């Protein structure tokens, strides 16, 4: 033991001397680049630096391995192309049925299965949340879609309490909510062809048996401004392009959108995307209960919005008159055309309780009112769809007790022009980053200290200063913005910029570009600095809707459009009403706070989606793009804490090398176990092959013998068939004259033979007529020719042959010969006449001998009689008898 300890210490000292500097460790790590793709957990990387982590991820990306563990976080690299066999049903079953899913290859299904097993084990807190984060285009929407499909498969396929039809309906409705939400809430941007322009938190509801019984959707901050204003080289929401590309002739006629018509709010319509699938959206609507009639109402509203975007205005010489309309459409949104044109150009003012004044709007106000009408209609339609989906898939509170939440929010955004939408989006990402920091980076290190471990805190980027800048009360960006919107005065961007600098100059997270002439402010987010334009920000925050436009929409003949605004109260534009207006920032902040309460009450699981290149090219890895995302989301710090925390809790000796030594020891132990397993496996395989070979030989021998027996049996059966056929043919077909001719030929041959031989003694005519011979009365030796037995047997079924023999021995010899040779087949019977004419004396001495000879018959068919009862073939030639 002491010798091993000494050698171990020597090994440690040697490694310390070899790796004194970080550069030496880094070079040693990067030398073996061929093995970097095998690191399925970034905590195995040593040393942990942004360079080593980046190299490992790049090697795995080149090997088309897109998931990697990073402590408590799963890192997902977007391949930007379909990967066959990565998300199939078989892969889902493999991870779901694995005894230890954490030991399998990294996959998004591991995160899903871990959360599901926590619910099954009722680990407190039982409810789970899967947080999918990353910048736009990193693959968050696809990851959320895979998670929903996984739970809809593993949590509903084994249901025994409900009928299969009910289970399939729940599963299908949960999955069909995705294409509808993506069609109405996603759009093609510069960074992502399927970018979510809203945030959503999906609760998958589970009963006491952990089976999926329903779901609910909560949405956050739809980017409704995209309906009326699309950034350069970007598109509107997918649903508009699906309609114009997939509508039938009748639908185009009903919606008044001919093939050759163009729309101002439909830029880049020639660009073909996979998301432009109209039939898939329509089918999903049908499955969720949106029938054809309701679909017609929805699509007529959307077509009306496209026509609304084609309305343009121009100024007139007389300022007291409303602006002229260059282009308009009849029957727009099923609203009276005259009233629509009036309220788009004329503002209604109230004097007192009843007096109404009309004031022509300026050209800019006309554009604003048109866009405002489009935005409020689309936002109400989107909210109605979300409510309809929840009513369709949400289960009763009494039927479910736990849930698994999927959070998919818009990623961090930084464009050339950033406004209120980007400010709210990045604020949401800041809140999620704070949740991650508070839950893991900070809490994990405090737990190490509480356990008494020697621990030096790992530095990480804390974004609390940025959050104080945005949500601080009473001096925060949001507070000052809301206060400015509640004042009954025109907005002044420069004045608001000066107030921000005055109130928030002490916060290091805020700055501005002194060389820029446009009013703006810059915020140092955790993912980088972003400059926001102040111009137009107050109007977006107010989100005013003229009351006359609300009353106008309520007059629509479209039942669905009328229903959307039936219960909506028009906002008063008076001073008193402005103080009661709930701003966009206030609504978003309240909904985000309720979301954070849910996240804090659940067990979170983090998935960091990384965008490998800004052009969304398949299998292209840009180091500078990835390293910024790794540093922004705190992946390196997470790996530091995860890698150092577990070994320190076990060993406090030599903190710089303990992880490496443990890893080498684990590798050696695994190699030994693997070698032992291989030996046992090879021995088992050899024994199995030997047993199979013996079994094959026995089977072959049995099969061959069976084949021979079957062939012989077939031969015997064939011979029997031939025998029966011959007999029938012989009786029916051979004429009697032919038989007589054959008999004469045989008798002639016998006569010729008799003439050649010596003439036998003359016999008694009586004996000759009777056909019997008394051998005792003849001189010895005497040849007796009997009737040609072959001819007799061939022509008659029975025959009687009489032979008289004097002496007991001669008689027994003749009977033995006849029994043994002539009638062995059993078809003829041999009898003696001794029972009729008396018993011969046994004292009679035998005289001479009896010899029986066979002679081949000249008959053509004498030997054509097979006998299946014996080995050989018994023909008529064998029973031709000559007695001497």
């Amino acid at each position: 033991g002491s010798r091993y300890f000494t050698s171990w210490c020597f090994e440690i000292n040697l490694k310390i001397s070899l790796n004194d500097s970080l550069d030496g460790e880094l070079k040693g790590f990067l030398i073996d680049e061929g093995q970097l793709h095998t690191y399925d957990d970034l905590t195995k990387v040593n040393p942990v630096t942004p360079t080593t982590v980046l190299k490992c991820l790049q090697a795995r990306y080149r090997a088309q391995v897109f998931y990697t563990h990073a402590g408590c976080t799963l890192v997902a690299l977007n391949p930007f192309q379909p990967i066959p066999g990565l998300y199939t049903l078989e892969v889902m079953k493999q991870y779901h049925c694995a005894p230890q899913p954490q030991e399998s290859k990294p996959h998004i299904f591991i995160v899903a299965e871990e959360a599901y097993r926590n619910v099954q084990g009722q680990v407190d807190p039982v409810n789970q949340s899967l947080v999918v984060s990353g910048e736009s285009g990193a693959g968050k929407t696809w990851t959320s879609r895979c998670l929903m499909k996984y739970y809809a498969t593993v949590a509903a396929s084994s249901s025994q309490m409900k009928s299969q039809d009910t289970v399939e309906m729940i599963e299908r409705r949960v999955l069909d909510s995705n294409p509808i939400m993506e069609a109405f809430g996603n759009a093609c941007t510069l960074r992502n062809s399927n970018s979510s322009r809203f945030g959503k938190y999906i609760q998958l509801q589970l009963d006491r048996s952990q089976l999926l019984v329903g779901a609910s959707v909560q949405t956050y901050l739809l980017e409704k401004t995209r309906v009326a204003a699309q950034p350069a080289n970007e598109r509107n929401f997918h649903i508009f392009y699906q309609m114009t590309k997939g509508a039938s002739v009748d639908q185009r006629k009903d919606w008044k959108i001919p093939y050759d018509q163009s729309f101002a709010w439909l830029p880049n319509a020639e660009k073909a995307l996979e998301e432009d699938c109209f039939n898939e959206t329509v089918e999903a609507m049908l499955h969720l209960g949106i029938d054809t009639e309701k679909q017609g109402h929805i699509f007529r509203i959307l077509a009306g919005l496209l026509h609304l975007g084609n309305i343009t205005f121009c100024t007139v010489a007389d300022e007291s008159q409303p602006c002229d309309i260059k282009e308009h459409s009849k029957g727009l949104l099923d609203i009276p055309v005259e009233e629509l044109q009036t309220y788009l150009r004329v503002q209604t003012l109230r004097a007192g309780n009843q007096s109404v004044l009309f004031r022509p709007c300026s050209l800019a106000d006309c554009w604003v009112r048109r866009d405002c009408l489009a935005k409020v209609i689309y936002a109400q339609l989107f909210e109605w769809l979300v409510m309809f989906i929840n009513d369709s898939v949400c289960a009763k509170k009494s039927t479910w007790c736990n849930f698994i939440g999927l959070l998919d929010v818009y990623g961090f955004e930084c464009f050339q022009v950033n406004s209120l939408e980007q400010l709210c989006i990045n604020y949401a990402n800041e809140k999620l980053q704070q949740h991650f920091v508070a839950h893991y980076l900070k809490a994990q290190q405090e737990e190490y200290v509480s356990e008494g471990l020697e621990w030096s805190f790992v530095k990480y980027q804390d974004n609390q200063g940025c959050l104080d800048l945005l949500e601080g009360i009473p001096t925060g960006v949001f507070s000052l913005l809301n206060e400015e919107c509640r004042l009954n005065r025109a907005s002044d961007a420069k004045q608001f910029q000066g107030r921000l600098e005055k109130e928030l100059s002490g916060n290091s997270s805020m700055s501005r570009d002194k060389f820029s002439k446009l009013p703006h402010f810059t915020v140092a987010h955790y993912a980088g600095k972003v400059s926001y334009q102040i111009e137009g920000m107050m109007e977006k925050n107010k989100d005013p809707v003229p009351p006359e436009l609300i009353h106008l929409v309520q007059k629509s003949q479209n039942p669905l459009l009328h229903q959307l605004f039936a219960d909506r109260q028009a906002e008063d534009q008076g001073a008193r009403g402005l103080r009661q207006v709930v701003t966009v920032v206030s609504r978003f902040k309240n909904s985000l706070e309720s979301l954070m309460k849910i996240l804090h009450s659940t067990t979170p699981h983090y998935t960091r989606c990384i965008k490998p290149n800004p052009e969304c090219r398949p299998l292209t890895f840009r180091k500078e793009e990835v390293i910024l995302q790794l540093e922004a989301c705190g992946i390196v710090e997470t790996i530091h804490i995860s890698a150092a925390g577990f070994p320190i809790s076990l060993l406090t000796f030599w903190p710089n090398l303990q992880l490496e030594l443990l890893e080498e020891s684990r590798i050696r132990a695994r190699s030994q176990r693997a070698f032992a397993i291989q030996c046992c496996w090879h021995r088992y395989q050899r024994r199995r092959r030997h047993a199979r070979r013996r079994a094959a030989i026995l089977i072959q021998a049995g099969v061959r013998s069976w084949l021979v027996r079957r062939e012989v049996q077939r031969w015997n059966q064939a011979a029997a068939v031939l025998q029966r056929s011959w007999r029938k043919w012989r009786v029916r077909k051979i004429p009697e004259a032919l038989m007589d001719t054959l008999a004469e030929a045989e008798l002639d041959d016998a006569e010729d033979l008799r003439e050649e031989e010596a003439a036998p003694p003359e016999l008694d005519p009586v004996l000759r007529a009777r056909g019997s011979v008394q051998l005792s009365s003849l001189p010895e030796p005497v040849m007796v020719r009997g009737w040609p037995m072959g001819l007799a047997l061939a022509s008659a079924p029975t025959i009687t042959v009489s032979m008289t023999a004097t002496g007991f021995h001669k008689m027994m010899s003749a009977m033995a010969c006849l029994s043994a040779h002539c009638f062995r087949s059993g078809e003829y019977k041999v009898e003696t006449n001794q029972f009729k004419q008396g018993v011969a004396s046994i004292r009679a001495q035998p005289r001479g001998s009896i010899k029986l000879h066979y002679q081949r018959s000249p008959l053509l068919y004498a030997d054509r009689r097979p006998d299946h009862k014996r080995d050989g073939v018994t023909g008529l030639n064998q029973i031709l008898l000559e007695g001497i």
Side-chain angles (χ1 to χ4, degrees), residues 145 175-176 178-180 182-183 239 242 274-287 295:
R145 191 186 306 172
L175 295 179
D176 284 336
N178 256 340
I180 298 178
E182 292 183 11
I239 186 62
Q242 293 179 3
E274 182 182 354
E275 289 75 19
D276 296 340
C277 185
F278 184 61
N279 293 332
E280 182 180 355
T281 303
V282 171
E283 185 178 356
M285 287 182 172
L286 290 174
H287 293 160
Q295 290 181 22

PDB file of all heavy atoms in Angstrom, residues 145 175-176 178-180 182-183 239 242 274-287 295:
ATOM      1  N   ARG A 145     -40.672  21.510 -30.122  1.00  0.00           N
ATOM      2  CA  ARG A 145     -41.529  20.604 -30.874  1.00  0.00           C
ATOM      3  C   ARG A 145     -41.165  19.137 -30.591  1.00  0.00           C
ATOM      4  O   ARG A 145     -42.039  18.288 -30.430  1.00  0.00           O
ATOM      5  CB  ARG A 145     -41.403  20.909 -32.360  1.00  0.00           C
ATOM      6  CG  ARG A 145     -42.432  20.219 -33.229  1.00  0.00           C
ATOM      7  CD  ARG A 145     -42.124  20.460 -34.706  1.00  0.00           C
ATOM      8  NE  ARG A 145     -42.000  21.883 -35.003  1.00  0.00           N
ATOM      9  CZ  ARG A 145     -41.588  22.325 -36.183  1.00  0.00           C
ATOM     10  NH1 ARG A 145     -41.246  21.479 -37.138  1.00  0.00           N
ATOM     11  NH2 ARG A 145     -41.510  23.626 -36.390  1.00  0.00           N
ATOM     12  N   LEU A 175     -50.331  17.989 -30.225  1.00  0.00           N
ATOM     13  CA  LEU A 175     -49.346  18.175 -31.288  1.00  0.00           C
ATOM     14  C   LEU A 175     -49.843  19.132 -32.364  1.00  0.00           C
ATOM     15  O   LEU A 175     -49.057  19.878 -32.958  1.00  0.00           O
ATOM     16  CB  LEU A 175     -48.981  16.823 -31.903  1.00  0.00           C
ATOM     17  CG  LEU A 175     -48.274  15.838 -30.977  1.00  0.00           C
ATOM     18  CD1 LEU A 175     -47.990  14.528 -31.711  1.00  0.00           C
ATOM     19  CD2 LEU A 175     -46.974  16.420 -30.442  1.00  0.00           C
ATOM     20  N   ASP A 176     -51.151  19.115 -32.642  1.00  0.00           N
ATOM     21  CA  ASP A 176     -51.685  19.981 -33.691  1.00  0.00           C
ATOM     22  C   ASP A 176     -51.735  21.442 -33.271  1.00  0.00           C
ATOM     23  O   ASP A 176     -51.935  22.317 -34.129  1.00  0.00           O
ATOM     24  CB  ASP A 176     -53.089  19.523 -34.095  1.00  0.00           C
ATOM     25  CG  ASP A 176     -53.038  18.281 -34.963  1.00  0.00           C
ATOM     26  OD1 ASP A 176     -51.989  18.058 -35.602  1.00  0.00           O
ATOM     27  OD2 ASP A 176     -54.020  17.527 -35.001  1.00  0.00           O
ATOM     28  N   ASN A 178     -49.200  23.014 -32.297  1.00  0.00           N
ATOM     29  CA  ASN A 178     -47.927  23.586 -32.745  1.00  0.00           C
ATOM     30  C   ASN A 178     -48.006  24.244 -34.117  1.00  0.00           C
ATOM     31  O   ASN A 178     -47.615  25.400 -34.267  1.00  0.00           O
ATOM     32  CB  ASN A 178     -46.840  22.505 -32.736  1.00  0.00           C
ATOM     33  CG  ASN A 178     -45.904  22.663 -31.559  1.00  0.00           C
ATOM     34  OD1 ASN A 178     -45.812  23.722 -30.958  1.00  0.00           O
ATOM     35  ND2 ASN A 178     -45.223  21.608 -31.201  1.00  0.00           N
ATOM     36  N   PRO A 179     -48.463  23.525 -35.175  1.00  0.00           N
ATOM     37  CA  PRO A 179     -48.486  24.182 -36.487  1.00  0.00           C
ATOM     38  C   PRO A 179     -49.378  25.407 -36.542  1.00  0.00           C
ATOM     39  O   PRO A 179     -49.080  26.355 -37.287  1.00  0.00           O
ATOM     40  CB  PRO A 179     -48.990  23.073 -37.428  1.00  0.00           C
ATOM     41  CG  PRO A 179     -49.602  22.048 -36.551  1.00  0.00           C
ATOM     42  CD  PRO A 179     -48.891  22.122 -35.260  1.00  0.00           C
ATOM     43  N   ILE A 180     -50.435  25.445 -35.755  1.00  0.00           N
ATOM     44  CA  ILE A 180     -51.304  26.631 -35.752  1.00  0.00           C
ATOM     45  C   ILE A 180     -50.592  27.803 -35.099  1.00  0.00           C
ATOM     46  O   ILE A 180     -50.589  28.930 -35.630  1.00  0.00           O
ATOM     47  CB  ILE A 180     -52.624  26.314 -35.037  1.00  0.00           C
ATOM     48  CG1 ILE A 180     -53.382  25.204 -35.783  1.00  0.00           C
ATOM     49  CG2 ILE A 180     -53.487  27.562 -34.930  1.00  0.00           C
ATOM     50  CD1 ILE A 180     -54.660  24.794 -35.113  1.00  0.00           C
ATOM     51  N   GLU A 182     -47.399  28.249 -34.777  1.00  0.00           N
ATOM     52  CA  GLU A 182     -46.281  28.683 -35.604  1.00  0.00           C
ATOM     53  C   GLU A 182     -46.754  29.439 -36.839  1.00  0.00           C
ATOM     54  O   GLU A 182     -46.098  30.383 -37.294  1.00  0.00           O
ATOM     55  CB  GLU A 182     -45.438  27.471 -36.015  1.00  0.00           C
ATOM     56  CG  GLU A 182     -44.693  26.823 -34.853  1.00  0.00           C
ATOM     57  CD  GLU A 182     -43.819  25.674 -35.308  1.00  0.00           C
ATOM     58  OE1 GLU A 182     -43.633  25.533 -36.533  1.00  0.00           O
ATOM     59  OE2 GLU A 182     -43.328  24.917 -34.442  1.00  0.00           O
ATOM     60  N   ALA A 183     -47.885  29.029 -37.416  1.00  0.00           N
ATOM     61  CA  ALA A 183     -48.387  29.720 -38.604  1.00  0.00           C
ATOM     62  C   ALA A 183     -48.794  31.151 -38.287  1.00  0.00           C
ATOM     63  O   ALA A 183     -48.542  32.076 -39.070  1.00  0.00           O
ATOM     64  CB  ALA A 183     -49.565  28.949 -39.195  1.00  0.00           C
ATOM     65  N   ILE A 239     -48.814  32.677 -41.944  1.00  0.00           N
ATOM     66  CA  ILE A 239     -50.180  32.347 -42.366  1.00  0.00           C
ATOM     67  C   ILE A 239     -50.577  33.114 -43.623  1.00  0.00           C
ATOM     68  O   ILE A 239     -51.309  32.586 -44.478  1.00  0.00           O
ATOM     69  CB  ILE A 239     -51.177  32.624 -41.209  1.00  0.00           C
ATOM     70  CG1 ILE A 239     -52.573  32.142 -41.580  1.00  0.00           C
ATOM     71  CG2 ILE A 239     -51.145  34.078 -40.808  1.00  0.00           C
ATOM     72  CD1 ILE A 239     -52.661  30.657 -41.838  1.00  0.00           C
ATOM     73  N   GLN A 242     -49.066  31.278 -46.554  1.00  0.00           N
ATOM     74  CA  GLN A 242     -49.745  29.996 -46.740  1.00  0.00           C
ATOM     75  C   GLN A 242     -51.060  30.187 -47.493  1.00  0.00           C
ATOM     76  O   GLN A 242     -51.403  29.387 -48.377  1.00  0.00           O
ATOM     77  CB  GLN A 242     -50.001  29.343 -45.381  1.00  0.00           C
ATOM     78  CG  GLN A 242     -48.745  28.900 -44.651  1.00  0.00           C
ATOM     79  CD  GLN A 242     -49.044  28.291 -43.298  1.00  0.00           C
ATOM     80  OE1 GLN A 242     -50.204  28.143 -42.910  1.00  0.00           O
ATOM     81  NE2 GLN A 242     -48.000  27.920 -42.562  1.00  0.00           N
ATOM     82  N   GLU A 274     -40.225  25.938 -46.165  1.00  0.00           N
ATOM     83  CA  GLU A 274     -40.896  24.713 -45.737  1.00  0.00           C
ATOM     84  C   GLU A 274     -42.133  25.021 -44.907  1.00  0.00           C
ATOM     85  O   GLU A 274     -43.078  24.217 -44.863  1.00  0.00           O
ATOM     86  CB  GLU A 274     -39.908  23.866 -44.925  1.00  0.00           C
ATOM     87  CG  GLU A 274     -40.459  22.527 -44.460  1.00  0.00           C
ATOM     88  CD  GLU A 274     -39.467  21.759 -43.620  1.00  0.00           C
ATOM     89  OE1 GLU A 274     -38.302  22.220 -43.482  1.00  0.00           O
ATOM     90  OE2 GLU A 274     -39.824  20.695 -43.095  1.00  0.00           O
ATOM     91  N   GLU A 275     -42.143  26.179 -44.253  1.00  0.00           N
ATOM     92  CA  GLU A 275     -43.260  26.540 -43.392  1.00  0.00           C
ATOM     93  C   GLU A 275     -44.500  26.985 -44.174  1.00  0.00           C
ATOM     94  O   GLU A 275     -45.566  27.147 -43.568  1.00  0.00           O
ATOM     95  CB  GLU A 275     -42.843  27.652 -42.438  1.00  0.00           C
ATOM     96  CG  GLU A 275     -41.874  27.217 -41.341  1.00  0.00           C
ATOM     97  CD  GLU A 275     -40.458  26.999 -41.854  1.00  0.00           C
ATOM     98  OE1 GLU A 275     -40.143  27.525 -42.950  1.00  0.00           O
ATOM     99  OE2 GLU A 275     -39.682  26.310 -41.190  1.00  0.00           O
ATOM    100  N   ASP A 276     -44.381  27.198 -45.476  1.00  0.00           N
ATOM    101  CA  ASP A 276     -45.523  27.658 -46.278  1.00  0.00           C
ATOM    102  C   ASP A 276     -46.401  26.472 -46.669  1.00  0.00           C
ATOM    103  O   ASP A 276     -46.577  26.159 -47.848  1.00  0.00           O
ATOM    104  CB  ASP A 276     -45.025  28.395 -47.527  1.00  0.00           C
ATOM    105  CG  ASP A 276     -44.262  29.656 -47.174  1.00  0.00           C
ATOM    106  OD1 ASP A 276     -44.426  30.153 -46.049  1.00  0.00           O
ATOM    107  OD2 ASP A 276     -43.487  30.140 -48.028  1.00  0.00           O
ATOM    108  N   CYS A 277     -46.933  25.797 -45.665  1.00  0.00           N
ATOM    109  CA  CYS A 277     -47.759  24.609 -45.907  1.00  0.00           C
ATOM    110  C   CYS A 277     -49.176  24.899 -45.414  1.00  0.00           C
ATOM    111  O   CYS A 277     -49.474  24.776 -44.221  1.00  0.00           O
ATOM    112  CB  CYS A 277     -47.168  23.391 -45.205  1.00  0.00           C
ATOM    113  SG  CYS A 277     -48.025  21.847 -45.554  1.00  0.00           S
ATOM    114  N   PHE A 278     -50.031  25.294 -46.331  1.00  0.00           N
ATOM    115  CA  PHE A 278     -51.385  25.698 -45.972  1.00  0.00           C
ATOM    116  C   PHE A 278     -52.249  24.504 -45.563  1.00  0.00           C
ATOM    117  O   PHE A 278     -53.040  24.594 -44.616  1.00  0.00           O
ATOM    118  CB  PHE A 278     -52.014  26.425 -47.168  1.00  0.00           C
ATOM    119  CG  PHE A 278     -53.393  26.970 -46.890  1.00  0.00           C
ATOM    120  CD1 PHE A 278     -53.604  27.906 -45.904  1.00  0.00           C
ATOM    121  CD2 PHE A 278     -54.480  26.532 -47.636  1.00  0.00           C
ATOM    122  CE1 PHE A 278     -54.868  28.407 -45.648  1.00  0.00           C
ATOM    123  CE2 PHE A 278     -55.744  27.025 -47.392  1.00  0.00           C
ATOM    124  CZ  PHE A 278     -55.942  27.969 -46.390  1.00  0.00           C
ATOM    125  N   ASN A 279     -52.079  23.384 -46.246  1.00  0.00           N
ATOM    126  CA  ASN A 279     -52.908  22.212 -45.947  1.00  0.00           C
ATOM    127  C   ASN A 279     -52.652  21.680 -44.545  1.00  0.00           C
ATOM    128  O   ASN A 279     -53.575  21.224 -43.864  1.00  0.00           O
ATOM    129  CB  ASN A 279     -52.653  21.110 -46.977  1.00  0.00           C
ATOM    130  CG  ASN A 279     -53.124  21.490 -48.364  1.00  0.00           C
ATOM    131  OD1 ASN A 279     -54.053  22.274 -48.512  1.00  0.00           O
ATOM    132  ND2 ASN A 279     -52.479  20.955 -49.389  1.00  0.00           N
ATOM    133  N   GLU A 280     -51.404  21.730 -44.101  1.00  0.00           N
ATOM    134  CA  GLU A 280     -51.089  21.265 -42.748  1.00  0.00           C
ATOM    135  C   GLU A 280     -51.780  22.119 -41.691  1.00  0.00           C
ATOM    136  O   GLU A 280     -52.307  21.598 -40.696  1.00  0.00           O
ATOM    137  CB  GLU A 280     -49.576  21.273 -42.536  1.00  0.00           C
ATOM    138  CG  GLU A 280     -49.139  20.762 -41.175  1.00  0.00           C
ATOM    139  CD  GLU A 280     -47.635  20.786 -41.000  1.00  0.00           C
ATOM    140  OE1 GLU A 280     -46.931  21.116 -41.992  1.00  0.00           O
ATOM    141  OE2 GLU A 280     -47.154  20.493 -39.888  1.00  0.00           O
ATOM    142  N   THR A 281     -51.810  23.427 -41.892  1.00  0.00           N
ATOM    143  CA  THR A 281     -52.483  24.315 -40.947  1.00  0.00           C
ATOM    144  C   THR A 281     -53.985  24.065 -40.939  1.00  0.00           C
ATOM    145  O   THR A 281     -54.619  24.016 -39.870  1.00  0.00           O
ATOM    146  CB  THR A 281     -52.184  25.776 -41.308  1.00  0.00           C
ATOM    147  OG1 THR A 281     -50.769  25.987 -41.314  1.00  0.00           O
ATOM    148  CG2 THR A 281     -52.815  26.716 -40.299  1.00  0.00           C
ATOM    149  N   VAL A 282     -54.585  23.904 -42.115  1.00  0.00           N
ATOM    150  CA  VAL A 282     -56.026  23.652 -42.202  1.00  0.00           C
ATOM    151  C   VAL A 282     -56.383  22.332 -41.533  1.00  0.00           C
ATOM    152  O   VAL A 282     -57.381  22.235 -40.797  1.00  0.00           O
ATOM    153  CB  VAL A 282     -56.466  23.666 -43.676  1.00  0.00           C
ATOM    154  CG1 VAL A 282     -57.908  23.196 -43.810  1.00  0.00           C
ATOM    155  CG2 VAL A 282     -56.306  25.062 -44.265  1.00  0.00           C
ATOM    156  N   GLU A 283     -55.568  21.299 -41.761  1.00  0.00           N
ATOM    157  CA  GLU A 283     -55.841  20.000 -41.139  1.00  0.00           C
ATOM    158  C   GLU A 283     -55.724  20.074 -39.625  1.00  0.00           C
ATOM    159  O   GLU A 283     -56.520  19.475 -38.902  1.00  0.00           O
ATOM    160  CB  GLU A 283     -54.865  18.967 -41.703  1.00  0.00           C
ATOM    161  CG  GLU A 283     -55.132  17.546 -41.232  1.00  0.00           C
ATOM    162  CD  GLU A 283     -54.181  16.540 -41.850  1.00  0.00           C
ATOM    163  OE1 GLU A 283     -53.359  16.959 -42.705  1.00  0.00           O
ATOM    164  OE2 GLU A 283     -54.249  15.351 -41.495  1.00  0.00           O
ATOM    165  N   ALA A 284     -54.733  20.808 -39.121  1.00  0.00           N
ATOM    166  CA  ALA A 284     -54.593  20.970 -37.672  1.00  0.00           C
ATOM    167  C   ALA A 284     -55.789  21.711 -37.084  1.00  0.00           C
ATOM    168  O   ALA A 284     -56.255  21.384 -35.980  1.00  0.00           O
ATOM    169  CB  ALA A 284     -53.293  21.708 -37.357  1.00  0.00           C
ATOM    170  N   MET A 285     -56.304  22.688 -37.804  1.00  0.00           N
ATOM    171  CA  MET A 285     -57.507  23.392 -37.330  1.00  0.00           C
ATOM    172  C   MET A 285     -58.695  22.454 -37.217  1.00  0.00           C
ATOM    173  O   MET A 285     -59.461  22.505 -36.235  1.00  0.00           O
ATOM    174  CB  MET A 285     -57.839  24.539 -38.290  1.00  0.00           C
ATOM    175  CG  MET A 285     -56.910  25.738 -38.207  1.00  0.00           C
ATOM    176  SD  MET A 285     -57.430  27.051 -39.336  1.00  0.00           S
ATOM    177  CE  MET A 285     -56.338  28.373 -38.839  1.00  0.00           C
ATOM    178  N   LEU A 286     -58.851  21.594 -38.196  1.00  0.00           N
ATOM    179  CA  LEU A 286     -59.968  20.644 -38.156  1.00  0.00           C
ATOM    180  C   LEU A 286     -59.840  19.703 -36.963  1.00  0.00           C
ATOM    181  O   LEU A 286     -60.835  19.407 -36.284  1.00  0.00           O
ATOM    182  CB  LEU A 286     -60.029  19.852 -39.458  1.00  0.00           C
ATOM    183  CG  LEU A 286     -60.451  20.631 -40.714  1.00  0.00           C
ATOM    184  CD1 LEU A 286     -60.334  19.754 -41.938  1.00  0.00           C
ATOM    185  CD2 LEU A 286     -61.875  21.151 -40.565  1.00  0.00           C
ATOM    186  N   HIS A 287     -58.640  19.236 -36.679  1.00  0.00           N
ATOM    187  CA  HIS A 287     -58.440  18.329 -35.555  1.00  0.00           C
ATOM    188  C   HIS A 287     -58.729  19.007 -34.219  1.00  0.00           C
ATOM    189  O   HIS A 287     -59.160  18.350 -33.263  1.00  0.00           O
ATOM    190  CB  HIS A 287     -57.014  17.790 -35.560  1.00  0.00           C
ATOM    191  CG  HIS A 287     -56.720  16.893 -36.723  1.00  0.00           C
ATOM    192  ND1 HIS A 287     -55.450  16.618 -37.166  1.00  0.00           N
ATOM    193  CD2 HIS A 287     -57.558  16.207 -37.554  1.00  0.00           C
ATOM    194  CE1 HIS A 287     -55.509  15.810 -38.204  1.00  0.00           C
ATOM    195  NE2 HIS A 287     -56.772  15.540 -38.462  1.00  0.00           N
ATOM    196  N   GLN A 295     -63.155  28.511 -40.136  1.00  0.00           N
ATOM    197  CA  GLN A 295     -61.956  28.764 -40.932  1.00  0.00           C
ATOM    198  C   GLN A 295     -62.218  29.827 -41.994  1.00  0.00           C
ATOM    199  O   GLN A 295     -61.373  30.698 -42.244  1.00  0.00           O
ATOM    200  CB  GLN A 295     -61.490  27.467 -41.594  1.00  0.00           C
ATOM    201  CG  GLN A 295     -60.923  26.445 -40.630  1.00  0.00           C
ATOM    202  CD  GLN A 295     -60.452  25.196 -41.342  1.00  0.00           C
ATOM    203  OE1 GLN A 295     -60.174  25.206 -42.537  1.00  0.00           O
ATOM    204  NE2 GLN A 295     -60.360  24.095 -40.605  1.00  0.00           N
TER     205      GLN A 295
END
